[in-house]
Amino acid sequence: MRRITVRFADLDIEFVDRDMALRQVEDWANKSTWYPVVIFGPEGCGKTAFLRQTVEALRELDYNVLYLHPLDRVFMAEVDEPDVKSLFLDLARQTLADEKWGRIALAVFDLVRELLRRRKRRVAVIADDVFQAIGLDNAAAYVKGLLNMIEHPVYDYEKIVILIATSEGLSRSEIGRHRWSIIMPMWNMTREGFQELYERIPGNKPPFEDVWRTTGGNPGMLSRLYLTGWDSDALVTQLIREKGLTPDFIVRWRVWLGRVVEDPEALWSPDVPEELIKQLVAKNLIVYNMYDRDQAFWVDAPPPERDPELGIGRDVAWQTPLHREAVRRALKEYRV
Ligand SMILES: Nc1ncnc2c1ncn2[C@@H]1O[C@H](COP(=O)(O)OP(=O)(O)OP(=O)(O)O)[C@@H](O)[C@H]1O
Ligand SMILES: [Mg+2]
């Protein structure tokens, strides 16, 4: 399979690793996904890069692919019918102008129908971060619409693949309340895959071991670290601001947060305030209620069962060690 080129900070880099995930895509392509597959995982773990590579993979497997990533303003119609392609691109242009993302998200239903009306074929819809664009309130209904496309197609299809990615922590529970999709987590990169990526970065850089321990294999954090000139303190400062780790938040939850930076599993206890968990999930600091480390449940390789150094517990994990470090530093700075 051809490997695509992805943007990595100021570099263009070949998509590396994720072999296991790409084999899963092949498997889905051969069988169809019988539900929309909703992929969630730490911010910057590589969902977008993976979905882009998926477009290429499915194309090579003879699929007609509609791809939308409203937040990045990228829309692709890799389809055999030129007029469907231009229809989609016209809609994309219109949407980029007026930012009514719901229209193009919904147009996917009509376009797939149009593709199938002409000929029974293989179709795929790849939607990245659509929930943020259409609003979390509409997310479940959208997924239901996609499921209907699979279960009650107006025109018959040969095979169908529907993949959605979300980095919005709360969408998981919003979507998970219904049985309309299969929700699959994706973790940061494995050590080997991450090392491959690290080696593609030119110039002077800290030893791999340090970078691994700082980022936990998260390619997004790797790119940010590279952009700061490998200044992890500066990156932690940015995170404290971005995540809204304000004195008010820190002081309110200081006792609990003190425990959680030592061991995220401290949150897996019946007396933890629900509000705190909700906020940590909403801020994309932790992943709560981690899936069993059975390959079948994960896109690509699951993380280890536990890795205290990287902040991974059996049921709760810091998204990356940098996320934990931001909270740890904020705890130090905002003492009462
Ligand atoms: N397998 C890979 N090979 C090469 N580069 C990668 C790979 N995975 C991710 N990257 C790069 O790492 C950065 C972060 O990845 P990406 O944007 O795909 O993460 P994400 O999970 O979609 O993040 P977000 O949660 O913010 O949407 C990007 O620059 C991306 O191109
Ligand atoms: Mg993304």
Side-chain angles (χ1 to χ4, degrees):
M1 175 194 316
R2 185 182 77 88
R3 295 265 172 170
I4 60 161
T5 302
V6 294
R7 193 75 190 155
F8 184 91
D10 57 356
L11 308 166
D12 287 320
I13 280 193
E14 189 186 38
F15 181 83
V16 300
D17 192 56
R18 297 295 194 191
D19 296 8
M20 210 178 275
L22 292 170
R23 277 199 297 278
Q24 284 171 289
V25 173
E26 233 176 276
D27 200 44
W28 286 326
N30 290 330
K31 294 184 186 143
S32 291
T33 55
W34 291 110
Y35 286 90
V37 177
V38 177
I39 302 170
F40 75 98
E43 51 184 4
C45 74
K47 298 175 292 294
T48 295
F50 169 63
L51 286 192
R52 294 268 170 88
Q53 178 63 48
T54 297
V55 175
E56 175 66 27
L58 290 168
R59 199 64 188 134
E60 287 179 22
L61 294 167
D62 215 17
Y63 268 76
N64 278 248
V65 188
L66 296 176
Y67 169 94
L68 49 156
H69 187 184
L71 290 186
D72 255 16
R73 297 165 157 56
V74 182
F75 303 92
M76 291 188 274
E78 300 289 335
V79 298
D80 301 328
E81 307 282 344
D83 58 327
V84 174
K85 183 174 177 127
S86 65
L87 206 60
F88 185 75
L89 295 180
D90 281 347
L91 273 165
R93 254 190 300 278
Q94 216 178 323
T95 307
L96 287 172
D98 65 13
E99 311 214 335
K100 291 189 175 141
W101 308 113
R103 180 179 48 217
I104 192 151
L106 292 173
V108 162
F109 299 116
D110 292 336
L111 293 171
V112 167
R113 193 177 313 136
E114 191 53 28
L115 283 168
L116 294 174
R117 185 178 68 78
R118 302 193 189 172
R119 188 157 68 74
K120 189 170 158 180
R121 57 177 108 214
R122 304 173 167 214
V123 287
V125 176
I126 313 287
D128 197 348
D129 266 334
V130 271
F131 302 151
Q132 261 148 312
I134 62 173
L136 200 49
D137 295 348
N138 303 319
Y142 191 63
V143 172
K144 180 72 189 340
L146 291 168
L147 175 63
N148 275 341
M149 208 157 80
I150 297 176
E151 288 187 333
H152 309 289
V154 179
Y155 302 101
D156 207 9
Y157 53 78
E158 192 189 328
K159 301 267 166 58
I160 192 162
V161 167
I162 295 181
L163 305 177
I164 307 165
T166 177
S167 33
E168 208 280 309
L170 296 178
S171 54
R172 177 182 165 199
S173 53
E174 179 57 28
I175 303 298
R177 291 190 291 116
H178 311 278
R179 51 117 236 142
W180 297 337
S181 65
I182 293 189
I183 303 187
M184 293 184 81
M186 176 170 178
W187 198 249
N188 299 318
M189 300 177 82
T190 61
R191 203 187 153 91
E192 296 69 40
F194 190 66
Q195 184 152 14
E196 207 181 316
L197 181 58
Y198 162 88
E199 271 154 19
R200 304 222 173 183
I201 302 176
N204 284 334
K205 47 196 173 191
F208 174 71
E209 198 51 43
D210 295 357
V211 176
W212 169 254
R213 270 201 300 262
T214 311
T215 61
N218 182 286
M221 286 300 170
L222 177 65
S223 99
R224 295 184 63 175
L225 203 52
Y226 161 73
L227 281 174
T228 59
W230 306 103
D231 183 349
S232 57
D233 282 342
L235 184 45
V236 168
T237 307
Q238 289 172 10
L239 281 171
I240 291 176
R241 196 174 322 114
E242 271 166 33
K243 299 293 177 189
L245 300 177
T246 55
D248 153 69
F249 176 79
I250 294 292
V251 170
R252 176 164 178 212
W253 301 111
R254 107 161 284 126
V255 176
W256 277 109
L257 289 175
R259 288 180 203 157
V260 181
V261 291
E262 289 312 311
D263 179 6
E265 210 63 4
L267 285 173
W268 197 249
S269 124
D271 53 337
V272 185
E274 211 174 307
E275 173 65 17
L276 172 63
I277 296 170
K278 200 168 166 206
Q279 290 211 35
L280 291 172
V281 170
K283 288 179 187 295
N284 265 327
L285 285 164
I286 60 162
V287 176
Y288 194 73
N289 198 357
M290 299 268 284
Y291 284 36
D292 287 350
R293 309 306 198 267
D294 180 334
Q295 174 59 55
F297 299 136
W298 294 78
V299 175
D300 208 55
E305 182 91 4
R306 274 200 181 75
D307 187 329
E309 204 176 18
L310 299 185
I312 299 170
R314 193 176 66 101
D315 303 289
V316 187
W318 289 97
Q319 293 207 349
T320 76
L322 280 158
H323 290 82
R324 175 181 60 190
E325 200 45 41
V327 174
R328 188 175 276 151
R329 168 111 73 75
L331 279 166
K332 264 195 220 137
E333 279 176 15
Y334 307 132
R335 286 184 196 287
V336 270

